[in-house]
Structures are given as C-alpha cells and as structure tokens.
Amino acid sequence: ELFAEKAERVVALDKNLEMLRVARAKLQHLPAARVELVQGDFGDLPFPDAGFDTVILHQVLHFAPDPAPALAEAARVTRAGGRIAIVDFASHDHEELRIRHQHVRLGFSDRQMAEFLRAAGFAPAAPVALEGGPLVVKIWTAKRRPAASPAKSPALETAK
C-alpha cells in the first residue's frame, strides 16, 4: 500500500490465505491490474529469475529457522542493481514471542543481517532503526550485485 503509487506493479506474497484476504481488503482501492496477490512460500518463490526491481520482506524473516534460503530466493528474483528492504526486529530477548506468536528467531543483529545479505549476493547499506516501542524495528536495505562467475561467488564459498 505504501509503495503502490510509485510502483508499476505490486506483487504481494504470503503463505497464509487469511493474510492474503486481509491484503485484498486493504488494497481494494488500488487498480486491480497493478496488484497481484500470490499464495506461496518465501523459501520457494513462484517467480522467474530477475523479475523484480525491488523485494520487500516485511516482518517475516523472524519466522525462518534459517533466513539464508529466503534471502537466496529474494536475490534470485531481484534484477542486478535492484533493491531489497528487510523490515524486522533488532535482536531482543522477548522469549514469550516464540510461544505467543511462533517467532523462531528473536530478531537480528546488524552484523548478522549484513552477513546474510552479502552471502545472498547483495551489497548492504547502513540500517535504520525505528525505536520507540518495546521492540526496536530495523530496516536493512541492500542493492543486488551483478551475478559473479561460479568460482568467485561468495554464496558458493559459504554454501554447505
């Protein structure tokens, strides 16, 4: 909703059908031809390579046991020179969120996120902190690097 005016097309993905229903209701005022809602998983995106200029992961990575596959998928669908924005929690110790909201991870440090982004093929920028609540929300942004040859790929060097 925030980016729709500046975007040629918006594709929103969620695993949960109910969340897609909520999104459809919130976005009903936008031209239907410019908004696509897709049910799917961020670890296995149903989109072609390099199909997006910008990818936004909003409050979802803390549900991932391992964020690396989700970020690799985001990199795959982002064109070289494209951008990623990750909005999620800074590291915290609110253990109750694991039980109450099924959070797998208790946020991320800037160092962790920079490492995840670099390994996926992004060049991270300085993060922005949105403070003022019991949890600090961070916005990590990065630019998609051109694909390297396999011998020089940082993702291949760190792959298991």
Side-chain angles (χ1 to χ4, degrees):
E1 187 175 27
L2 293 173
F3 301 102
E5 284 186 30
K6 302 213 185 234
E8 180 181 308
R9 187 173 135 244
V10 174
V11 178
L13 175 127
D14 202 294
K15 195 176 199 176
N16 185 315
L17 196 53
E18 186 55 35
M19 290 303 293
L20 291 171
R21 286 187 188 111
V22 169
R24 183 162 314 282
K26 275 189 97 166
L27 302 174
Q28 66 184 350
H29 65 284
L30 299 173
R34 289 186 36 224
V35 177
E36 180 181 356
L37 301 177
V38 177
Q39 187 174 17
D41 189 286
F42 62 24
D44 185 20
L45 296 172
F47 307 117
D49 295 355
F52 294 94
D53 294 324
T54 304
V55 170
I56 301 168
L57 298 175
H58 186 261
Q59 294 290 346
V60 294
L61 272 188
H62 58 261
F63 292 110
D66 180 5
L71 290 172
E73 274 293 276
R76 180 185 65 77
V77 302
T78 305
R79 69 166 176 78
R83 301 165 295 181
I84 188 169
I86 299 164
V87 181
D88 218 309
F89 298 116
S91 290
H92 61 83
D93 60 359
H94 293 261
E95 270 301 323
E96 71 277 7
L97 294 177
R98 291 187 195 274
I99 296 164
R100 197 169 356 138
H101 298 290
Q102 291 77 44
H103 289 200
V104 175
R105 305 178 71 83
L106 297 179
F108 299 91
S109 70
D110 293 338
R111 182 172 167 252
Q112 278 179 308
M113 191 58 72
E115 288 172 3
F116 284 135
L117 287 164
R118 281 189 200 97
F122 291 99
V128 175
L130 306 175
E131 300 185 45
L135 293 171
V136 174
V137 173
K138 288 276 189 121
I139 302 172
W140 293 277
T141 60
K143 191 173 181 180
R144 180 75 168 100
R145 294 188 311 251
S149 65
K152 296 180 183 179
S153 173
L156 289 178
E157 292 172 13
T158 60
K160 293 182 181 178

